[in-house]
Amino acid sequence: MADRPHHELRNETPLERADRNFAELLQEVRVTQAGVQILFAFLLTLAFTQRFPDIDAFQRTTYVITLLLSMLAAVLFTAPAALHRSLFQQNAKPVIVQVSSRLASAGLAVLMLAFTGSVLLVVDVTLGRAAGIAAGAGTMAACVLLWGVLPRLVRRTSVRTDQPVTEGPTETPGGRGRKSSED
C-alpha cells in the first residue's frame, strides 16, 4: 500500500487532486503573504522617518534593494490568485497548480533575500556594519536551513524509513528541489 501514489490512497480523480493541491497551496501562501505585507509596509514607512536622511550610501542601497525584493515577494505570492482568476473555468486547474507552486517557491527565495536585507539594514543602523552583516548572514543561513535543508532531510529520512512524504512544498526556495512528488 505504501508503494501506491498518494492520490490513489485518497481515491481522488486528477481534478479533485488539483483542487486539493490548489487549496493547500493557497493556505500556505496566505500564511506567508501576511508576513510579506507587514515587511513591505514597514519598509515603506522607513523612508519617512526622521533618521532616514542620516543613513549612508550602503544603507540606502540595502534599503532600496530590500524594498524592491519585498515588493517582488508580495507580487509572487499574489500571482497564484491572479492566475486562477484569469484562467477561471477554463479547465486549467492542474496547470494553475503547477505554475502557482513555482511562483510560491520563487516567492520564498525572494522573501529570504528580503528578510536578509531587512535584518542587515536594521542591525547595521543600530549596531554597526559588522553586526549587520553577521545578522544578515545568520538570517540567510536560518532560512536556507529551515526552508531548504530541513525539508530535504525530512524527505531523505522518510525514504529510509519507508514513510512517504507526500505533503508540502516540493521545491526549495532556489527552485532546485526535486521534481514534484505532490499529487
Side-chain angles (χ1 to χ4, degrees):
M1 189 162 187
D3 293 351
R4 291 175 58 195
H6 189 59
H7 66 276
E8 288 181 12
L9 294 174
R10 288 180 180 262
N11 197 25
E12 294 175 312
T13 67
L15 287 177
E16 289 171 333
R17 184 173 58 252
D19 287 340
R20 177 181 53 81
N21 285 340
F22 192 64
E24 290 174 4
L25 176 70
L26 287 181
Q27 185 58 32
E28 293 169 10
V29 168
R30 280 186 196 105
V31 169
T32 309
Q33 193 175 31
V36 171
Q37 290 170 338
I38 292 167
L39 174 62
F40 186 56
F42 164 73
L43 289 168
L44 284 174
T45 63
L46 280 184
F48 301 102
T49 62
Q50 289 181 337
R51 195 167 174 189
F52 190 80
D54 299 332
I55 65 174
D56 63 30
F58 175 81
Q59 293 164 338
R60 267 183 213 282
T61 302
T62 302
Y63 169 77
V64 169
I65 291 170
T66 302
L67 176 69
L68 295 174
L69 287 168
S70 67
M71 180 278 307
L72 180 57
V75 168
L76 288 164
F77 285 124
T78 56
L83 181 65
H84 180 263
R85 181 59 20 223
S86 63
L87 296 175
F88 185 67
Q89 293 186 340
Q90 294 186 20
N91 297 319
K93 185 66 73 79
V95 172
I96 292 170
V97 171
Q98 185 179 34
V99 172
S100 295
S101 179
R102 289 191 176 119
L103 289 166
S105 293
L108 285 172
V110 172
L111 182 59
M112 176 179 59
L113 297 173
F115 280 169
T116 299
S118 298
V119 170
L120 167 63
L121 177 62
V122 171
V123 176
D124 183 29
V125 168
T126 56
L127 298 177
R129 184 77 22 97
I133 291 171
T139 300
M140 182 173 279
C143 290
V144 167
L145 287 171
L146 293 172
W147 297 352
V149 175
L150 180 61
R152 285 187 173 153
L153 290 175
V154 169
R155 185 181 308 130
R156 190 177 312 149
T157 301
S158 68
V159 167
R160 276 190 261 143
T161 60
D162 288 335
Q163 296 175 353
V165 174
T166 55
E167 302 293 332
T170 57
E171 293 188 43
T172 61
R176 291 183 282 274
R178 68 185 181 116
K179 186 176 177 184
S180 175
S181 66
E182 205 167 58
D183 325 303

